[in-house]
Amino acid sequence: MGFTERQEALVSSSWETFNQNLPFYSVLFYTFILDKAPAAKGMFSFLKDSNEVPQDNPSVNAHAEKVFGMVRDAAVQLQAKGEVVLGDSTLGIVHTQKGVVGPHFTV
């Protein structure tokens, strides 16, 4: 499964927009996740002890930046090679420890 140049450009431009207001879009991203899957709250250390997504939280911003950066990198790889090679080998281990399963990614 590959990405077209247009699809990759859309993901990259979304990344640029996201990066221009990281705190706002980070909170929005996790708010959407919790609206759709409230039980996911416990999977994020920075959300466990709060009733809502904390504003101006460096952990929220850093995690969202990693997620969106990986999506952007995956789009670039799909467009260039037709496949994605994961650069961080610990990612799967952490997600398994947190109990993340396929349906979580749909959210």
Side-chain angles (χ1 to χ4, degrees):
M1 170 180 134
F3 257 29
T4 65
E5 285 183 36
R6 182 175 183 278
Q7 290 170 314
E8 187 266 329
L10 285 170
V11 172
S12 291
S13 68
S14 295
W15 163 252
E16 294 303 323
T17 300
F18 170 79
N19 217 23
Q20 289 173 10
N21 195 346
L22 183 62
F24 171 77
Y25 289 114
S26 297
V27 170
L28 188 64
F29 175 67
Y30 291 107
T31 299
F32 284 158
I33 288 175
L34 296 182
D35 283 350
K36 292 180 184 273
K41 180 179 174 181
M43 294 181 172
F44 302 99
S45 60
F46 47 84
L47 297 177
K48 278 197 276 191
D49 299 323
S50 62
N51 293 327
E52 58 186 30
V53 179
Q55 305 286 320
D56 299 318
N57 181 309
S59 296
V60 171
N61 295 343
H63 192 268
E65 185 175 23
K66 284 180 190 174
V67 170
F68 280 90
M70 288 177 57
V71 169
R72 182 206 55 215
D73 294 346
V76 169
Q77 288 184 44
L78 279 171
Q79 198 281 319
K81 303 176 196 171
E83 66 179 357
V84 175
V85 177
L86 186 61
D88 183 354
S89 61
T90 64
L91 192 61
I93 295 167
V94 171
H95 280 77
T96 300
Q97 289 171 343
K98 295 285 185 180
V100 178
V101 293
H104 290 126
F105 292 102
T106 303
V107 173

